Each structure stands twice: as C-alpha cells, then as structure tokens.
Amino acid sequence: MTHLALVGPPHLTAPRIPAAPGIYRIGQGTPPTPVAVSFEPSDRRRCENLLTWFERGGEPGATLLVDDWKLCAESDPGLAESIRWITVATPARVIITARSLDHLPERVRLRVEVLDFLALHGLSTFTKALAWKGRWWKVPVGTDAHGRPVVAELTHLADGKWRTGSHLGVTAPETLRSLVLGLVTTHSPKLFQAVFVDAHDSDVFAGLDQAPHVQAHHRGVARDPALIRHVADALLAESERRLEVVGNTWTIFHHRGFDQVLPQLLVCVHGLDAIVAAEPEFATTLATIAHDVGKSGVQLLLDSPHDVVTRQIDDCTVPANLDEATKSLPQLMCQAEPAPGFFDLHEVPNRFDRSHAWRPRPVKMQYRVAVGTDEHGQPVEIDLKSGTLQDGMGPHGEIVAPPERRAEGLRALILGQMLRHSPDELQVVLIDFHGTAVFAGLDSAPHVQPALAEALMDDHERRIRMLVDSGNYRTTWDYRTARSNGAQLGPLPELLVCVDGVHGLVEARPDFLQVLQTLGRTGRSYGQHLLLSDATPPSDLQGNDFMSYRLELTGNGWARRIGRSVESFTLPTDLDSVAWSLPQAMRATS
C-alpha cells in the first residue's frame, strides 16, 4: 500500500486528493473533496474513535485523510504514533496534506509529492524579511523515487573539524534550477552570491539570472576559447581577492563577524564537458579554485563529473510549480519592501509580555539587538558585549547625527535593549545635556537610574568591590556565570550610560571627561557601557579612543560602522509611539 503526502497550500493539494468512496477525514472546515465523514481536529472523542477503528483495520478500501498535518497534530499529540501503526499494521491507506515539507511526521513511510516550491522550503509566501534566514547549511531540492526529501548539503567538515564549503555535482537541469532557486530564496545576497557560466545560450538559468544574488551570467562560452579564458581569469582573480581579505583566518566561516561579511560565491557551470573540450585549461582553473574553498568561500556547482565534486546531488522530482516560481520569485527579490515596525523587527507580539520578552537568552544573543533592517530586509544588529572578551561589538559606541535626528538612533538602540533585558539584566543612565527631551518617554522605563557623574563613579567602585567580595571574579560575566550555576549571588546588571550632547557637557564640566575615560578603559570588565551622541563624533574627544561602533546619519540615511565595515539600514517606522508606550508597559508589569 502506498501512503501519500501532499505538500503545498490547500488550493494545490485539494485537486490531488482522489474523489473516491471510503475516505474518512480529520481536518478543519469543509472537506476539499467528497468524503464519508469529516471530524474537526478539536473533536477529540470522535477523532480518537476514528483512529481506533483504523488501527483495528477499518473496512476494505478505507482511506484516512489527515488534512493539514500540523493543525491536526497540535490537537492530538499522539496522532503521529497512531498513523505509524496504521501505515504498518493495517491494509488502510493514509493520505496526509501539509503546508510545508518540515511539517510532515517523522518515521512514517510516505510517498511525498511537493506541489509548491515555497512549501518545500517551509514558506507560505515570500518576503525577504521572512525567507532570507538561511545560514548556508542545507537546502532541500525535491523528492526521490520513494518520496523522500533530497537535500543538498552545502558544507562539510574538513579533516573532521574545520567547516568548509562543498563542491556540488548535479546532472539534471531541473534539479540544478531547483537547487539554485532554493538558495536565492532562502539566503540573503549578503551571505550568498552566484556566477552563472553556460556553455551554450540555453535557458537553464532563465529567470534565475534576475535574482539580486547573481554577479555575472556568461552565455555561450564554449563557442569562444578567448571568452573561456576571460571567465577563468575573472574567477581566479576573485578567489585570490577573497584570500587576501580573509588573510590568516582559519576559514571564511571563522572570518565572518559583525565587522566583516564575505558572502559565499557559488560558480554554477552548465555544459562543463563542452567548455573543457574547447579549452582544457578551464578544468585546471576549477581545480585551483576548488582547493582554496575553505578560505575563499568560492564553491562550484557542476553539471558533469569532476574530481573536485564532494557532494553529488541525485536526480529528483522537483516541485510541480518550479518553472512558475523561477519566473516570479527573483522578481520579488528585487522589489523594495517596507521597513518593519519595532515589534516586528524584534519578532515579538505587538504588546509587551515580560514572560516572552525578558525570557533567558543564550549568551551569544544577550545584549545583541536589531536597530533596523538593511536593503535586503535583514536585521542590522548592535551587540553591547565586548569584542575582545565576549565576541561582541562593544563595549562602547557613539551616535552621530544632527540634534533633531539623534533621538531616532538613540531610541532604536535603547528601546531594543530594554525590550530584551529586564532591569535585573540591564540598567540605563540617561544624560541630556542640552535639555532637548531627546530621551522623552524612555526615562519612564524601570531600567533608568539616576544620572549624576558622582553616581557613575560610585557605581564603578561598587562593582569592583562586589566582584572582589563575592569571590574575586574578574568580570561581571564571570559573576553572572557563577550566579546562573547556583552561586548565592544577587543580580549585577550591565549599565548603559547614554550621554547626548557630550561635547557640550565636557566643555561645561571638564571633570566629566575623566569619568568617561575611566569607564571607557575599564568598563568592559565591570559591565559599564558608554553610548555617546552628538553632532560630531564623540570619539574626537581627548583620550576617547575606545569607541567600538558608530550609528551615523549620512546623506543616504542611517549607517552602522564597525571598523572597516559600513552597513546602511532603515529604522523601524513607529519608534516615536513605541518610545512612549513601551516604557510605560514595562513599568506597569515590573
């Protein structure tokens, strides 16, 4: 008996459900096809009786239809175990529909038909903000002859320990198209780019070449050996450029960070045999490029056998609407999308819920929040943690913008930190020298502490004594680690000191420069972070050479600067209203 899984939205799965007598359905709403009976998933008693009947064999020719697996399984945690028994021990047939491939139950032998390309990748619709979450690991391509998913593994461990890119081999053009479209659909151009090399002027890359990831599309190269050599020289030059950028870092994956992002480059070659026949040295070029993949990040996707291929992708059945998706999705990728609101940016509900927002986070994600989105709809983040101690971007930063615009950048960063960290994890000092109400609204948050210079130095001394007296801890991170491991210690939150108009403040109170210098040089060990803002860079102050990051308003909008890296971004659209409503909501629940 062949059991079937149909993957896609209801308007595509419904026509594939056979109209036959003896279909018993568990699903919500009106059945998409005539059935003998249909029970809502929430009707547990009738659903359990139906499953028990099927587990005992049902009737000859009976089919159990589970319509929208994820919805049904949420109502019945034991549904998967019942289906496994029915598929193995009874003559009944099972048909399952699912909106996404990853919704299907595990360890159930099903022939999978993927009817929708987006459903193959766990998506119902495409937006850059939602879809471009890939991290260059694996990507589904289609299903094999047994209905099992075919997945392309993009990396492997070299020498058993170093993660490096894989060189891929694929023979069927449709499989190649599905793979490349999957990559551009799930990965931002910041992380993945492509070069297409076509021996002939075929349509294998048609539509795909409209994606913003594509750096070049070389057509008909097999007809001209000079063009082949030109392409080879360009690929070698790009590989060598990348090797210079990465330098002595172990791999390109180790090289990536907040201050440097070098995307993977996938060189897709269609008609390799014809190209090598016209210019045999092209094979040597590919071998040279392949050897340096660990550092350069240049991977190969070849349609003919080659010694460098480390992952051969089997021919498979691709989604039924692949051609349609290949035409429409790359065009969507080139369209601008509106900037998200504050809560959408932080992926939290549109109202403050302390149990959700202030829940514990992994160390890597602590004090790391988005301030806006880049041109690809991806979050641009600021991490207050020390770059040397905790692999962050801090501990100190600055905001440079005219007086009437500085509040935007300050609100984006401070509100994001408050949203994700309770007052036991983060305290904030707000100093507005010019009295322009730049922190208006924020000052009602429960995180906010008194703003006297003397209080800052007192806090500095208190933190030093607290670390020593509690167990001679070296940093606040050591202290919090011991506390999380059960040590009887009180909370010791990080302190974010925000000073607007810092140049004027130092001019009026020269002694405050010494406070800034003290916190700037030793604050990273004691959990004290400076956020200085003014119309000109605060880092221009004497001895203020410890700024790690900058948010700056340029002629083209806001930009984040870290070392040599400059990242443009757009702020959330509703910061003004959130600056008043969120602190009040936090105080009401504290």
Side-chain angles (χ1 to χ4, degrees):
M1 178 66 66
T2 300
H3 306 287
L4 180 64
L6 302 172
V7 180
H11 74 275
L12 293 179
T13 59
R16 291 288 297 118
I17 299 173
I23 296 181
Y24 297 79
R25 175 180 180 263
I26 299 176
Q28 193 172 56
T30 304
T33 189
V35 298
V37 296
S38 179
F39 297 136
E40 292 282 330
S42 58
D43 190 346
R44 291 290 301 276
R45 183 178 63 84
R46 287 188 171 90
C47 289
E48 289 174 1
N49 289 340
L50 179 62
L51 291 170
T52 300
W53 183 67
F54 267 96
E55 289 172 359
R56 294 172 179 173
E59 65 183 17
T63 297
L64 174 61
L65 170 61
V66 182
D67 200 4
D68 194 339
W69 176 267
K70 183 179 181 182
L71 177 68
C72 296
E74 286 174 349
S75 298
D76 181 3
L79 181 59
E81 193 60 38
S82 295
I83 295 300
R84 290 189 197 104
W85 175 263
I86 294 170
T87 57
V88 172
T90 77
R93 188 187 190 198
V94 173
I95 299 177
I96 293 173
T97 69
R99 295 173 183 262
S100 171
L101 189 64
D102 57 8
H103 290 175
L104 292 177
E106 298 179 352
R107 303 193 306 277
V108 178
R109 302 196 66 174
L110 302 165
R111 181 170 63 83
V112 180
E113 292 185 13
V114 180
L115 307 176
D116 179 60
F117 179 82
L118 289 176
L120 177 67
H121 297 276
L123 302 168
S124 56
T125 58
F126 177 84
T127 67
K128 291 181 279 191
L130 292 177
W132 283 349
K133 301 296 186 183
R135 291 297 178 262
W136 204 255
W137 187 249
K138 297 179 180 180
V139 63
V141 182
T143 55
D144 64 16
H146 302 287
R148 293 187 291 263
V150 173
V151 176
E153 297 187 6
L154 306 173
T155 63
H156 65 278
L157 292 179
D159 299 328
K161 56 181 178 179
W162 303 119
R163 184 181 171 211
T164 188
S166 300
H167 300 299
L168 310 174
V170 60
T171 56
E174 289 304 298
T175 304
L176 184 149
R177 286 167 61 81
S178 182
L179 170 58
V180 175
L181 184 61
L183 292 173
V184 299
T185 299
T186 56
H187 293 79
S188 162
K190 287 173 59 177
L191 187 61
F192 155 67
Q193 297 175 354
V195 170
F196 296 155
V197 182
D198 192 355
H200 314 289
D201 197 4
S202 68
D203 60 356
V204 69
F205 296 118
L208 298 171
D209 55 5
Q210 300 303 305
H213 309 67
V214 180
Q215 303 301 297
H217 184 183
H218 304 284
R219 308 169 186 265
V221 297
R223 296 194 297 264
D224 185 356
L227 179 57
I228 298 175
R229 291 192 290 272
H230 169 75
V231 171
D233 291 343
L235 294 177
L236 278 174
E238 175 62 13
S239 179
E240 292 170 357
R241 181 190 73 83
R242 288 162 164 263
L243 292 175
E244 291 181 2
V245 172
V246 173
N248 293 326
T249 309
W250 287 109
T251 73
I252 190 172
F253 299 104
H254 291 91
H255 176 72
R256 290 198 179 114
F258 285 111
D259 59 342
Q260 187 69 54
V261 176
L262 191 61
Q264 295 295 117
L265 180 64
L266 187 66
V267 180
C268 309
V269 182
H270 180 251
L272 175 62
D273 288 342
I275 297 174
V276 172
E279 180 54 67
E281 283 300 310
F282 189 72
T284 304
T285 298
L286 294 182
T288 301
I289 293 172
H291 180 266
D292 294 323
V293 62
K295 287 193 173 184
S296 71
V298 180
Q299 296 179 226
L300 304 177
L301 174 59
L302 310 178
D303 73 338
S304 299
H306 193 289
D307 291 342
V308 302
V309 171
T310 53
R311 290 280 190 272
Q312 184 67 39
I313 302 168
D314 297 332
D315 295 348
C316 61
T317 301
V318 299
N321 64 345
L322 175 64
D323 288 342
E324 176 186 342
T326 303
K327 296 176 183 177
S328 61
L329 289 177
Q331 295 179 4
L332 288 177
M333 297 171 195
C334 296
Q335 296 178 7
E337 294 181 356
F342 177 81
F343 291 103
D344 287 338
L345 173 65
H346 292 277
E347 299 181 344
V348 298
N350 284 332
R351 61 181 181 82
F352 178 72
D353 178 357
R354 63 179 297 164
S355 64
H356 176 78
W358 289 348
R359 68 186 187 276
R361 306 171 79 198
V363 171
K364 181 179 179 181
M365 301 304 297
Q366 292 174 18
Y367 306 101
R368 173 178 172 174
V369 299
V371 293
T373 52
D374 65 14
E375 69 273 24
H376 305 304
Q378 300 305 292
V380 173
E381 297 172 317
I382 291 293
D383 188 342
L384 298 184
K385 296 193 296 293
S386 168
T388 55
L389 296 181
Q390 293 95 24
D391 198 25
M393 297 165 47
H396 312 298
E398 58 188 3
I399 294 180
V400 182
E404 65 275 12
R405 300 291 301 275
R406 284 202 296 275
E408 304 170 17
L410 288 165
R411 287 172 173 173
L413 177 51
I414 298 170
L415 284 170
Q417 292 290 346
M418 289 178 174
L419 175 66
R420 287 300 194 181
H421 303 93
S422 73
D424 283 345
E425 298 170 315
L426 176 72
Q427 293 181 349
V428 179
V429 168
L430 304 175
I431 301 177
D432 179 4
F433 174 70
H434 295 295
T436 56
V438 69
F439 298 117
L442 305 181
D443 50 7
S444 62
H447 306 71
V448 176
Q449 303 299 308
L452 299 176
E454 294 77 10
L456 293 178
M457 291 308 300
D458 289 345
D459 178 78
H460 185 71
E461 296 298 327
R462 180 184 68 84
R463 287 168 176 265
I464 295 175
R465 290 195 304 271
M466 194 171 181
L467 293 181
V468 173
D469 295 344
S470 299
N472 211 24
Y473 295 107
R474 189 170 60 93
T475 69
T476 54
W477 284 91
D478 295 339
Y479 178 96
R480 280 196 293 274
T481 298
R483 184 171 184 257
S484 64
N485 290 335
Q488 298 301 307
L489 301 171
L492 181 57
E494 298 290 288
L495 181 68
L496 179 61
V497 180
C498 308
V499 183
D500 183 63
V502 65
H503 284 289
L505 178 57
V506 169
E507 184 176 347
R509 292 211 31 199
D511 59 306
F512 194 69
L513 180 61
Q514 182 63 43
V515 175
L516 296 180
Q517 291 173 344
T518 299
L519 300 186
R521 290 173 182 145
T522 63
R524 67 180 181 183
S525 295
Y526 306 124
Q528 296 170 305
H529 306 263
L530 296 176
L531 179 61
L532 310 181
S533 60
D534 216 320
T536 57
S539 52
D540 291 344
L541 290 169
Q542 180 183 359
N544 191 10
D545 55 356
F546 36 74
M547 294 292 111
S548 306
Y549 63 88
R550 175 189 296 178
L551 301 183
E552 182 176 20
L553 186 62
T554 70
N556 296 320
W558 284 95
R560 183 195 70 182
R561 295 179 181 270
I562 310 171
R564 297 175 299 171
S565 173
V566 180
E567 188 90 49
S568 298
F569 66 93
T570 302
L571 293 171
T573 55
D574 54 353
L575 281 174
D576 287 347
S577 61
V578 174
W580 293 94
S581 61
L582 181 59
Q584 292 289 348
M586 291 176 179
R587 183 165 291 280
T589 61
S590 296

